[in-house]
Amino acid sequence: LVAPTLVPMDDRSAGLAIFVVATALFAYYTVWVLVTPFIEPGHVVLTWFPDRVYAILIPAYAGACLVALVLALLGGVMLRAKPPTGVSSDKKIE
């Protein structure tokens, strides 16, 4: 048996896929936050969306994770960097 090979995407196809997914998520989030408050409670459309409190909690959690990731990467770079050399005692500053 030969495993099927995955055809790699070229950059344009990957970019288009990312663009389509990001646009769909943005449109969904925009409708969730800006339109659903004006829909009557109990309407069938409201079953397509989670509770509105998550419209704040999800982006806040994602932002906190992003900040933590950036700080962890910066900390790793700082730990791997050589410490700066100080002024040696035989050199005099005038």
Side-chain angles (χ1 to χ4, degrees):
L1 292 171
V2 177
T5 58
L6 296 175
V7 178
M9 287 181 136
D10 62 334
D11 290 343
R12 289 186 102 165
S13 298
L16 179 63
I18 292 170
F19 175 74
V20 168
V21 169
T23 302
L25 286 174
F26 180 76
Y28 180 83
Y29 183 78
T30 302
V31 170
W32 181 20
V33 172
L34 297 178
V35 176
T36 58
F38 300 107
I39 298 176
E40 295 177 12
H43 196 277
V44 70
V45 173
L46 292 178
T47 62
W48 302 342
F49 301 96
D51 192 15
R52 283 191 294 265
V53 70
Y54 294 114
I56 300 299
L57 292 179
I58 292 172
Y61 180 74
C65 288
L66 182 65
V67 168
L69 177 68
V70 168
L71 290 176
L73 290 173
L74 284 174
V77 168
M78 290 173 63
L79 286 174
R80 288 191 181 124
K82 294 180 181 178
T85 58
V87 178
S88 63
S89 60
D90 59 343
K91 294 181 182 177
K92 295 191 177 189
I93 301 175
E94 295 180 20

